[in-house]
Amino acid sequence: RALDDTAALAMGLLSMSSLKSQVSKPYFPLVIYALATANTFAVFLSGLVTTLFVSTCVAVGKKRFAFVALCNALGATCGFALFAALLEARGTDWFRERYPEVFASKHWARGEEVVAVFGWPGVAGLSAMPFPLHPLVVLGVLAGMKKRALLSALFLGRFTKYLAFGWVATNSPGALRRLRGGGEKRT
């Protein structure tokens, strides 16, 4: 039943009360982890992952939102570890052939400069920002970063970002009040 509800939630078929009941379950941060991992290869999941992440943070409250942020960051890191392994197996030319627009984007030029000048701290900083991670991983590989260093920078940046998002969600007055069970009227 829980898997059916989670699948229905993902498809947007559940009511607000059902959303609240799902995202507040103890296992739901693991759903966030799985979706964050899958999001690496199915980018269309980004909006869903973000919505469920913020909803889960609000539902679990100030004492547990950091765990939800940790699960989201670990999921993203796991997904990009798989992506880095794919790059190792197929080579960066494989990626370049399939996604030439990435190499022509403003993100590529900015990322190249930041990685060249700042190295690991630059990768960590960019991953904490609204910067696409796929080109960042390719940049790290092309710059010769060891996989462990690259993934640790990605993790730190994303964990910092998700902690900030989770803190805002749980500490903002009226943030998703319905999920938390608060009243409709603001006083």
Side-chain angles (χ1 to χ4, degrees), residues 12 20 24 38 41 44 48 64 75 91 93-94 103 122 129-130 135 137 141 148 152 170 175 177:
K20 179 183 176 187
S24 62
F41 300 99
F44 63 86
L48 174 67
R64 290 195 50 228
D93 288 339
W94 167 81
F103 297 90
M129 299 168 77
V137 171
V141 169
R148 182 177 288 170
S152 67
T170 57
R177 199 169 32 248

Side-chain angles (χ1 to χ4, degrees), residues 131-147:
F131 189 91
L133 292 186
H134 293 85
L136 191 55
V137 171
V138 174
L139 281 166
V141 169
L142 289 173
M145 287 183 78
K146 300 227 184 274
K147 192 174 359 177

Side-chain angles (χ1 to χ4, degrees), residues 24-173:
S24 62
K25 299 234 185 212
Y27 68 81
F28 209 81
L30 299 177
V31 173
I32 299 293
Y33 170 88
L35 288 171
T37 301
N39 188 44
T40 303
F41 300 99
V43 181
F44 63 86
L45 290 173
S46 294
L48 174 67
V49 174
T50 302
T51 301
L52 292 176
F53 167 71
V54 171
S55 300
T56 303
C57 286
V58 171
V60 301
K62 293 178 182 179
K63 291 185 180 182
R64 290 195 50 228
F65 83 88
F67 178 67
V68 181
L70 177 67
C71 288
N72 201 359
L74 285 173
T77 304
C78 180
F80 280 98
L82 295 170
F83 180 70
L86 186 63
L87 283 176
E88 280 181 357
R90 304 259 177 144
T92 54
D93 288 339
W94 167 81
F95 185 79
R96 188 182 301 264
E97 289 168 12
R98 278 161 185 69
Y99 305 100
E101 66 278 1
V102 168
F103 297 90
S105 77
K106 65 180 180 179
H107 298 295
W108 182 263
R110 185 179 328 144
E112 232 175 357
E113 182 181 338
V114 169
V115 171
V117 172
F118 298 104
W120 188 95
V123 171
L126 284 176
S127 71
M129 299 168 77
F131 189 91
L133 292 186
H134 293 85
L136 191 55
V137 171
V138 174
L139 281 166
V141 169
L142 289 173
M145 287 183 78
K146 300 227 184 274
K147 192 174 359 177
R148 182 177 288 170
L150 176 60
L151 294 174
S152 67
L154 291 176
F155 170 76
L156 178 65
R158 287 295 154 147
F159 186 48
T160 302
K161 176 180 180 173
Y162 299 143
L163 274 175
F165 280 17
W167 184 88
V168 168
T170 57
N171 287 282
S172 295

